[in-house]
């Protein structure tokens, strides 16, 4: 509910967007049908509409968005061998890509990306890296046993850091093994995927 309120207050009036009198299309998930969400809809003079059970096509616009995010996420998983438990990361990365990609806007189609429409600035995609690829991330000096100890930890890349600069990683080896970390200092091996084994190189396979 708090995320819904934040979304409405942040975007109401932006680029001609008006929520008053609008409809929140939703499925039958408990949170979306809670009294707190109902109170928010009433506060902003909105109404809710539910799809039939097990018929997601009743929420065409919302489900189309989810399909837009899930299709590239499936490719990320198929290419890398990542399990479904990593879907949170692939969906978030798909959203970053979608927001930096031009979409059709119907009668007001201006060829802009969602990021441009919201911020007025052109998006940058140069910082994006291949999902779930191998990466070597700088190990902080205080975690090294001596001057000859390794200076980087073997990791899996989990996408851009949503709360600041840099990227997210899962550490595979070293004193931080098993932890999720963020860092701006990493070397990526974008054709190598640890989930598929230490020696698999997709680029080599393709040739």
């Amino acid at each position: 509910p708090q995320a819904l309120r934040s979304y409405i207050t942040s975007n109401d009036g932006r680029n001609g967007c008006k929520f008053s009198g609008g409809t929140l299309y939703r499925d039958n998930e408990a949170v979306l049908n809670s009294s707190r969400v109902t109170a928010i809809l009433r506060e902003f003079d909105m109404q809710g509409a539910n799809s039939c059970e097990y018929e997601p096509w009743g929420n065409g616009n919302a489900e189309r968005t989810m399909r837009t995010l899930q299709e590239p996420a499936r490719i990320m998983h198929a290419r890398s061998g990542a399990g479904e438990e990593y879907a949170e990361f692939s969906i978030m990365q798909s959203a970053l890509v979608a927001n930096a990609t031009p979409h059709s806007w119907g009668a007001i189609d201006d060829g802009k990306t969602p990021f441009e429409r919201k911020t007025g600035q052109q998006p940058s995609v140069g910082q994006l890296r291949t999902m779930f690829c191998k990466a070597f991330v700088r190990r902080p000096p205080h975690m090294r046993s001596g001057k000859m100890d390794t200076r980087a930890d073997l990791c899996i890349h989990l996408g851009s850091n949503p709360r600041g600069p840099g990227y997210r990683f899962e550490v595979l080896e070293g004193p931080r093994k098993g932890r999720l970390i963020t860092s701006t200092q990493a070397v990526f091996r974008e054709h190598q995927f640890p989930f598929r084994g230490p020696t698999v190189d997709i680029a080599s396979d393709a040739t």
Side-chain angles (χ1 to χ4, degrees), residues 62 64 68 93 107 118 150 166 170 178 194 202:
R64 175 64 258 186
T68 297
Q93 194 74 352
K118 184 171 183 178
T150 180
E170 179 179 352
I202 298 297

Side-chain angles (χ1 to χ4, degrees), residues 1 30 49 71 88 94 116-117 142 145 147 162 178 188 191-192:
E71 286 177 347
E88 169 194 350
S94 294
E116 284 180 275
R117 291 184 63 83
H142 71 275
S145 60
K147 291 185 177 181
F188 296 89
H191 296 293
Q192 298 178 9

Side-chain angles (χ1 to χ4, degrees), residues 21-194:
T23 302
L24 173 68
Y25 293 95
R26 57 194 177 184
D27 57 21
N28 295 279
E29 197 270 336
V31 173
L32 293 176
N33 290 274
S34 66
S35 59
R36 294 176 62 190
V37 169
T38 300
I40 292 173
L41 296 181
R42 190 180 302 116
E43 177 184 347
F44 291 96
D45 191 27
M46 298 175 63
Q47 58 183 340
N50 287 52
S51 61
C52 295
E53 289 184 276
Y54 308 111
E55 296 183 4
W57 53 86
N59 285 334
N61 290 336
E63 295 299 331
R64 175 64 258 186
T65 299
M66 284 306 301
R67 183 176 176 183
T68 297
L69 299 181
Q70 288 174 344
E71 286 177 347
R74 289 192 185 102
I75 295 174
M76 296 176 194
H77 284 256
R79 178 181 174 87
S80 66
E84 194 165 316
E85 66 271 22
Y86 291 90
E88 169 194 350
F89 303 102
S90 57
I91 290 293
M92 290 191 68
Q93 194 74 352
S94 294
L96 284 177
V97 174
N99 285 332
T101 305
H103 294 269
S104 173
W105 298 97
I108 59 170
D109 186 10
D110 53 11
K112 293 183 178 180
T113 67
F115 183 87
E116 284 180 275
R117 291 184 63 83
K118 184 171 183 178
T119 66
Q121 301 175 351
Q122 293 223 356
S124 172
V125 296
Q127 78 282 4
L128 297 180
R129 296 291 181 266
T130 303
M131 281 295 288
F132 306 124
C133 71
K134 179 189 293 186
F136 294 94
V137 181
R138 180 179 181 271
R139 180 185 296 178
H142 71 275
M143 292 186 177
R144 304 172 195 166
S145 60
K147 291 185 177 181
M148 295 297 106
D149 194 13
T150 180
R151 301 179 64 181
D153 292 324
L154 175 62
C155 300
I156 290 177
H157 171 231
L158 298 180
S160 301
N161 178 15
R163 296 184 177 86
Y167 305 89
R168 292 193 291 186
F169 304 92
E170 179 179 352
V171 183
L172 299 181
E173 296 177 356
R176 297 181 289 178
K177 182 177 179 179
R179 286 180 53 187
L180 297 181
I181 63 172
T182 60
S183 179
T184 60
Q185 298 180 303
V187 175
F188 296 89
R189 297 288 183 262
E190 296 190 70
H191 296 293
Q192 298 178 9
F193 300 93

